[in-house]
Amino acid sequence: MNVLLIGPPGAGKGTQGERLAQRLGLAHIAAGDLLREEVRAATAVGREAKAYIDRGDLVPDAVILDLVLPRVVAAAADSGYLLDGFPRSVPQAQEARSLANRAGASPDVVLYLDVPRDELVRRILARAAEQGRSDDNPATVRNRLAIFDEVTKPLIEYYRGRGLLRVIDADRDPDAVTGEILSALGVAQ
Ligand code: AMP
């Protein structure tokens, strides 16, 4: 099974992605984690991506496509993927689509984690205190939420139109969210 997990910053993509991948035996591919690894390792990609990440902007499409797509294709040929944080725009989805089609790596289902704005901000600020992510400061968070609204949210209609979308009420504790996702996927708990 190939699953996309989309949602605003703070919706719980990382937490749910990890749990679901483990529960379903899928490769967990997290776009933000891959980028942060490149930044930590100070690769050419990491050096280019850092300024975008620190501002809360999306890194250029070519950068993220090169990083994510080979892993997606490899995972789809194996046990399937749980992809979180990609795509983050309709153009990214369109770019990925023809390659994924050719490689038999298209998503089977798209989960949208729905959380109200004030709860997102609360979660991100709590995470900032715990993890010290460089992009969890107030100015960058505002920009990330604005980019979500403008650039990422149109994916909801894009995937609804293709009949792949499942909206998950993610304004609940993590166990309840995992449970709702598993039942949406028709997986016995
Ligand atoms: P995340 O960990 O998913 O919140 O991602 C952290 C940051 O990585 C984002 O704010 C972007 O700067 C960058 N990023 C993650 N995924 C993408 C993507 N699909 N396209 C462009 N930039 C991304």
Side-chain angles (χ1 to χ4, degrees):
M1 177 165 43
N2 298 324
V3 182
L4 297 184
L5 195 54
I6 61 178
K13 298 189 298 294
T15 305
Q16 296 300 330
E18 224 160 84
R19 288 178 172 206
L20 292 166
Q22 203 175 13
R23 174 71 173 75
L24 301 169
L26 305 173
H28 182 207
I29 304 170
D33 288 351
L34 293 175
L35 285 167
R36 281 185 289 275
E37 268 161 37
E38 297 288 324
V39 171
R40 251 193 312 276
T43 62
V45 165
R47 285 197 300 272
E48 184 184 358
K50 185 174 182 345
Y52 293 92
I53 295 171
D54 286 348
R55 284 194 304 268
D57 288 336
L58 297 184
V59 307
D61 287 352
V63 170
I64 196 71
L65 286 157
D66 281 357
L67 210 53
V68 167
L69 288 183
R71 290 169 170 85
V72 165
V73 169
D78 191 12
S79 49
Y81 61 77
L82 188 301
L83 177 55
D84 96 54
F86 180 91
R88 256 177 157 94
S89 67
V90 172
Q92 284 184 2
Q94 287 167 333
E95 284 275 344
R97 189 174 175 191
S98 60
L99 173 70
N101 270 344
R102 282 198 305 279
S106 302
D108 300 304
V109 61
V110 179
L111 302 168
Y112 172 61
L113 299 185
D114 191 22
V115 178
R117 186 56 47 105
D118 53 349
E119 172 62 10
L120 293 175
V121 173
R122 195 194 66 70
R123 289 185 191 178
I124 295 169
L125 295 180
R127 182 172 72 185
E130 278 165 26
Q131 297 179 5
R133 261 177 63 164
S134 64
D135 59 348
D136 277 347
N137 62 79
T140 301
V141 167
R142 260 196 306 281
N143 191 37
R144 285 160 62 206
L145 290 169
I147 287 180
F148 174 79
D149 288 341
E150 280 168 37
V151 183
T152 307
K153 230 174 171 177
L155 283 173
I156 296 173
E157 291 314 316
Y158 176 82
Y159 286 120
R160 202 193 304 277
R162 293 182 48 204
L164 295 176
L165 191 76
R166 297 278 180 287
V167 177
I168 305 295
D169 173 9
D171 185 18
R172 302 191 282 167
D173 70 80
D175 289 346
V177 176
T178 307
E180 183 179 336
I181 293 173
L182 290 174
S183 63
L185 296 176
V187 175
Q189 294 178 50

